[in-house]
Amino acid sequence: MLKKLTLTAMVSAALLSHSVFAQDLTVGFSQIGSESGWRAAETSVAKSEAEKRGITLKISDAQQKQENQIKAVRSFIAQGVDAIFIAQVVQTGWGPVLEEAKDNDIPVFLLDRGIDVQDDSLYMTAVMADNVLEGELAAKWLINKVGGKPCNVVELQGTVGASVAIDRKKGFQDAISSASNLKIIRTQSGEFTRSKGKEVMESFIKAEDNGKNICAVFAHNDDMAIGAIQSIKEAGLKPGSDIYIVSIDGVPDIFKAMMAGESNATVELTPNMAGPAYDALIKYKEDGTVPPKHIKTESKLFEPDSAKEQLALKKDMGY
Ligand code: AHR
């Protein structure tokens, strides 16, 4: 009996110390901005997941500028936060400021994008998808959809220099290189925004016989795809049938477009990047457990047949 009581007391004490411990943690998060529906959801999930664990979260919005992110990281270092989370707008130029964080013993966690540094001890872990795989899944879906017929693809790339744009492009390109009927005829950045996606798609349509020469759009995110859908409709064509649409993220609006027959496929990217990072941080602070360098999130492609169900699920995901 005494043994049982002691064990219960020990478990309760451990749980209590875990939650009390997390409540002592402050995380500074340098977020890129709010260029897409996915990005806004990531921010909102970062807040709710912090609340669940009793972590204090400070968010700085960089408005798409790396210089603002670097300033934010320096400010978090000066404030002596317990950890810094960064969603990096571009992949280069992070070495010096990450050295500063390391010199101050502040672990850095990368969310949703990778960086280009020689020394990977400058960050603790990167919580992100395999973005090459995302591009590959989109390409394989299209190869299968066109079934051997010739298909001219236009590509709306994400932010220039962002790891995800580089990787998604690579994954798509490599996968279609084995299909001689598929060709990327135009490619340009739509900066991951709906308005720029629409603008760039307008120019593609004008340059390609009012869109008649275009078979499919590969957009590096759903927001640009939605902008492209608007342009296609304005040109008098039917998105989803005259021009196929495949994109990445899985935001509610793309599932709505699928239900309207205007989009064909999306590769889902979870907006919950912060949750696994908080858990890794807590473990690290508790007993020194070092997480794997890459905590990989799942990449899954969805088509219109599951759009209704996916849309319902999104409500619980911070959208
Ligand atoms: O890094 C993830 C990408 O950034 C998302 O796919 C895009 O919507 C976002 O803005």
Side-chain angles (χ1 to χ4, degrees):
M1 176 72 173
L2 186 64
K3 241 188 190 168
K4 201 173 170 190
L5 271 177
T6 320
L7 188 67
T8 313
M10 276 165 66
V11 171
S12 317
L15 284 174
L16 192 68
S17 79
H18 181 91
S19 58
V20 168
F21 183 82
Q23 275 163 22
D24 287 339
L25 293 175
T26 298
V27 171
F29 177 21
S30 168
Q31 177 58 293
I32 296 170
S34 53
E35 72 280 3
S36 65
W38 183 89
R39 180 70 51 202
E42 185 195 41
T43 304
S44 126
V45 174
K47 289 180 190 163
S48 58
E49 292 292 315
E51 253 170 54
K52 272 186 208 164
R53 293 165 176 81
I55 290 174
T56 303
L57 179 66
K58 298 180 175 192
I59 301 185
S60 173
D61 178 339
Q63 310 205 331
Q64 310 298 317
K65 292 202 175 84
Q66 186 181 32
E67 65 201 74
N68 291 345
Q69 293 204 284
I70 291 173
K71 270 190 212 147
V73 171
R74 292 209 165 108
S75 156
F76 291 141
I77 295 171
Q79 292 168 53
V81 296
D82 298 293
I84 296 174
F85 288 10
I86 317 175
Q88 321 78 238
V89 63
V90 290
Q91 68 175 10
T92 54
W94 292 100
V97 77
L98 296 191
E99 294 278 1
E100 290 169 38
K102 191 177 176 188
D103 291 347
N104 284 275
D105 281 331
I106 301 178
V108 169
F109 293 72
L110 309 181
L111 299 195
D112 78 83
R113 295 189 181 180
I115 55 172
D116 199 0
V117 282
Q118 299 260 307
D119 174 6
D120 74 358
S121 75
L122 291 177
Y123 62 92
M124 177 123 299
T125 185
V127 182
M128 55 189 278
D130 177 342
N131 288 275
V132 175
L133 174 67
E134 290 176 337
E136 194 182 309
L137 288 173
K140 285 187 174 156
W141 173 84
L142 188 57
I143 292 170
N144 192 42
K145 181 81 181 170
V146 299
K149 291 195 195 116
C151 181
N152 287 338
V153 182
V154 295
E155 179 186 31
L156 292 166
Q157 293 184 43
T159 306
V160 176
S163 69
V164 286
I166 295 164
D167 291 350
R168 289 171 184 174
K169 181 173 185 51
K170 180 178 169 20
F172 188 88
Q173 231 165 13
D174 288 355
I176 66 161
S177 66
S178 59
S180 57
N181 56 320
L182 261 76
K183 204 164 93 193
I184 299 178
I185 53 166
R186 298 204 175 253
T187 178
Q188 197 179 317
S189 172
E191 296 167 9
F192 278 133
T193 68
R194 217 172 264 215
S195 57
K196 194 73 186 171
K198 179 173 190 291
E199 186 188 313
V200 174
M201 189 63 199
E202 256 163 35
S203 70
F204 287 165
I205 289 172
K206 275 191 195 127
E208 295 298 339
D209 193 14
N210 200 32
K212 290 183 197 71
N213 199 28
I214 302 173
C215 150
V217 175
F218 167 48
H220 288 194
N221 82 346
D222 290 343
D223 278 72
M224 293 189 293
I226 288 156
I229 288 170
Q230 285 166 7
S231 292
I232 295 168
K233 290 206 281 192
E234 281 169 19
L237 294 169
K238 287 196 184 111
S241 46
D242 290 336
I243 299 181
Y244 297 133
I245 311 285
V246 56
S247 52
I248 294 166
D249 274 357
V251 301
D253 282 354
I254 206 72
F255 291 116
K256 287 181 191 159
M258 281 186 193
M259 286 160 74
E262 296 179 344
S263 180
N264 306 93
T266 187
V267 180
E268 188 192 32
L269 177 68
T270 176
N272 186 9
M273 298 284 163
Y278 292 136
D279 290 341
L281 169 66
I282 292 170
K283 205 80 194 83
Y284 174 67
K285 291 281 183 183
E286 263 175 2
D287 61 13
T289 303
V290 175
K293 268 290 154 208
H294 181 185
I295 299 176
K296 206 192 288 180
T297 63
E298 203 192 351
S299 303
K300 205 169 162 199
L301 184 135
F302 291 99
E303 292 183 273
D305 59 345
S306 50
K308 197 171 169 202
E309 186 192 344
Q310 286 305 311
L311 187 59
L313 287 172
K314 293 294 151 182
K315 289 193 183 122
D316 304 325
M317 290 185 72
Y319 285 104

